[in-house]
Amino acid sequence: MLMDQLTDLVGGDLLEPRALLDIFLTAVLIYIVLRLIQGTRAVRLAIGATIVYAVYVVALELDLRLLSGILQTGAVVGLVALVVVFQPELRRGLDRLGRVGSWGWLGPSDAASYQRISALLAASAAKLSRRHTGALIVVERDTALGDMAETGVMMHAQLSAELLASLFAPGYPLHDGAVIVSGDEIVAAGVMLPLAQREGSMEHYGTRHRAALGATEQTDALAIVVSEESGSISLTRGGSIVRDLGEDELRQRLYGMLAPPD
């Protein structure tokens, strides 16, 4: 069917306004979908689905009825399974689409937003450090952290230093878990993260540091750790850790890692 439509389009008048509109809207749809799944597990899914669809088209063209029938049946079952498996990514994408009038996510955010978020996170970490309040803040980048967020309490609250301080306050029910931040939003609190399972040097790290290393080994997220014992601030990325950071250095590192290249 798709091949017939393409053949009709190529054989027709490409300058016809309706054909141009069709091509434009299709391109926009593909671009939006790619932006939504960029850096998520759904990228591998999209590649696999494309390969399966290509096999299905070939089967139709060669009139391989058994193979095409199996693929058609599997597509129905697979669609339901994918909705269940990729529920966090789908919910996140629909939420972004539903923000009527806010289309900034289609392109890179302005530098001032990254500066403000970096400064807020650094100031919050410094304040927690002075109080020797243990904290673990995971900052989402391209890879969606929906699966991790589901292990905690979903919040979807505006990012603020006051809220972060209250979430990590000793005695608060969620203070032992991690907080996941996406942009200027606190997505979830009390999140349980996978611990790093390295050999050898792990005995030098506490649970928060091991959780930060584990989370950043599996994703491209950043993790800020405040030690309850020493008050030191650490930043992890890609499974590596930088310790004993001051507020200014942390702010500069966060901005350099969060802001897109010019």
Side-chain angles (χ1 to χ4, degrees):
M1 182 183 297
L2 179 61
M3 295 299 294
D4 293 337
Q5 292 175 346
L6 291 175
T7 302
D8 293 340
L9 183 61
V10 173
D13 186 3
L14 292 178
L15 298 180
E16 182 183 351
R18 182 179 299 177
L20 293 176
L21 178 62
D22 190 14
I23 295 173
F24 173 75
L25 293 178
T26 302
V28 170
L29 177 61
I30 294 174
Y31 176 75
I32 291 175
V33 171
L34 291 176
R35 287 290 300 179
L36 287 175
I37 68 175
Q38 181 181 16
T40 70
R41 298 177 302 163
V43 173
R44 294 190 295 271
L45 167 67
I47 295 174
T50 302
I51 294 174
V52 172
Y53 183 72
V55 173
Y56 173 67
V57 171
V58 172
L60 286 181
E61 293 295 326
L62 298 178
D63 196 24
L64 305 178
R65 298 180 182 179
L66 178 60
L67 179 57
S68 60
I70 293 175
L71 292 175
Q72 287 177 349
T73 305
V76 177
V77 178
L79 182 60
V80 177
L82 292 176
V83 170
V84 175
V85 174
F86 290 93
Q87 181 183 8
E89 284 82 359
L90 289 172
R91 183 169 57 247
R92 181 186 182 214
L94 292 175
D95 175 69
R96 295 171 79 179
L97 283 175
R99 297 175 187 174
V100 179
S102 178
W103 295 90
W105 57 273
L106 288 175
S109 301
D110 59 289
S113 297
Y114 288 111
Q115 290 176 346
R116 178 176 56 80
I117 293 171
S118 300
L120 191 153
L121 292 173
S124 299
K127 187 175 182 179
L128 293 167
S129 172
R130 290 190 292 269
R131 297 178 178 178
H132 281 245
T133 300
L136 174 53
I137 304 171
V138 180
V139 185
E140 184 183 74
R141 299 173 72 198
D142 290 331
T143 304
L145 303 179
D147 289 346
M148 293 183 184
E150 292 290 336
T151 66
V153 176
M154 304 302 293
M155 300 191 66
H156 297 292
Q158 182 68 32
L159 176 64
S160 69
E162 293 77 15
L163 182 54
L164 284 175
S166 65
L167 290 174
F168 291 113
Y172 189 74
L174 304 177
H175 82 283
D176 281 334
V179 166
I180 292 183
V181 173
S182 179
D184 59 355
E185 178 183 72
I186 296 178
V187 177
V191 176
M192 298 293 103
L193 301 177
L195 301 181
Q197 300 296 329
R198 300 179 185 176
E199 298 291 336
S201 61
M202 282 296 99
E203 64 270 13
H204 300 298
Y205 295 105
T207 303
R208 285 192 178 91
H209 291 84
R210 291 181 62 189
L213 290 168
T216 57
E217 282 175 347
Q218 299 182 16
T219 71
D220 66 347
L222 307 176
I224 304 168
V225 187
V226 179
S227 171
E228 186 174 351
E229 292 76 16
S230 64
S232 64
I233 302 174
S234 304
L235 179 65
T236 65
R237 176 194 183 190
S240 62
I241 186 169
V242 179
R243 311 188 73 168
D244 299 321
L245 296 174
E247 179 178 348
D248 289 340
E249 186 176 2
L250 176 61
R251 175 179 53 79
Q252 293 172 4
R253 286 178 177 269
L254 286 173
Y255 178 72
M257 296 176 184
L258 291 175
D262 296 332

